[in-house]
Amino acid sequence: MSRIKHVHARRIWDSRGRPTVEVDIITESGALGRGIAPAGASRGTREAIELRDGGTRFGGLDVLHAVQGIQQEIAPALVGLEVADQTKLDAILIALDGTADKSRLGGNALIATSLAALHAAAAQAQLPLWRYLSNDRPVQLPLPQVQIFGGGAHADRRVDVQDFMVIATGARSFVEAMEMTAEVYRHAGLLMKKRGASQGIADEGGWWPAFAHNEEALDVLVMSIEAAGFVPGQDVSIALDIAASEFGQNGRYTLGLEKMELDTDGLIEKLLRWIDKYPIVSIEDPVAEDDAKGMIAFTNAVNGRVQVVGDDYLVTNAKLVQEAAKQKACNAVLIKPNQAGTITETLSALTAAQEAGYATIVSARSGETEDVAIVHLATGWNAGQLKVGSFARSERMAKWNEGIRVETTAPHPQGFAWRALQRI
Ligand code: PGA
Ligand code: ZN
């Protein structure tokens, strides 16, 4: 147990070269915790608001006001507080901000502070963060979802679907999942080159999607799994993030690449055809955040055959998760700490999901940093799954590598959540 002595905030830079907020919290006995806010590009409208300065500097994205808010308002309120009392600390942050959407002090300021305190408390307890969070419960390393092609808002809308990912469903350890993914990623790159489609990588490290239509990406993904020597659907399966809020609202969806306008039923039919044709095991945001009817219809139509993940649809919000569970919309929840704004609220959303029997996937954002906290959250909270982006760029690899460290450093978590998808 130790009290908070210092709270330092500064502006640093994220993986897209944009400003973001970093907070250091130091306890009276000298333990240091550091939290960094990530940033999304395809954000849900109900997420905690990022406080950005506006104007012309850095495209209006500077965070000097958020940093100032931490120094002038948050720091004085936290100094002297017991660092391990995360619930109290987060309640103070929420009350200080005073808005429903965290727009006054900024969700970015709040999550960086909340994470810094969590890290400091683990450092104070002299435990790795995952172990501090596990509270001595048995926990497992999460099953990774790894992007191979990046699309949507992360690749200039070159294809409509945002993430074409793989899940190493045949892996029996985190290390093995990484090995299998590395081969698929490598072969996907070789295939792109062979087709004359090699155009670099997208925001999260996935290959730039130089495809004529969305299905071509799925075809090349299956070819990549086979070229890597794996059986699609058995060793390695496909996960998609449609991120449908990016190209649809009011029940109308415009697929730019295929120059096609679909209504909710049309989009659902198309996705169901993909599920029949390809070894897909997970689909995130199949319809837009405003399309509750569509989400209920899709979840009902797939009837447990695939994981249906709510991201923009549920925005890491316990109330929205409970509501969705009542309506039988989705069967899994993406958990992004900065959508909620504090660690306590993130954990509430995760707990609500677990209580409803929903699968949980802790996730990074498209704008990331060297911060690896989400790997520890996914493990220590026993989330079951982890989504970090692709298998390139150090802000992504730092997280995969951290998972390898957690798995191979004693004391170990109790195994690997290779059955995570079977819970659906
Ligand atoms: P974002 O997207 O971080 O750009 O909002 C990631 C996702 O949709 O999962
Ligand atoms: Zn998403």
Side-chain angles (χ1 to χ4, degrees), residues 40-43 154 162 241 284 311 334 336 365-366 387:
S42 71
R43 288 189 294 267
H154 304 158
Q162 183 180 281
D241 182 1
E284 183 177 328
D311 171 16
L334 207 72
K336 291 169 164 170
R365 303 305 302 247
S366 51
K387 180 187 176 193

Side-chain angles (χ1 to χ4, degrees), residues 389-407:
S390 194
F391 210 70
R393 300 181 51 140
S394 283
E395 80 280 2
R396 313 290 151 186
M397 302 318 292
K399 295 168 182 62
W400 299 133
N401 290 340
E402 186 72 0
I404 291 171
R405 287 182 202 109
V406 171
E407 186 167 71

Side-chain angles (χ1 to χ4, degrees), residues 139-144 168-178 384 407 413-420:
V139 296
Q140 296 188 317
L141 257 299
L143 179 67
T169 36
R172 292 297 175 265
S173 70
F174 191 88
V175 166
E176 195 185 0
M178 293 294 102
E407 186 167 71
Q414 299 200 351
F416 171 60
W418 59 277
R419 287 196 179 90

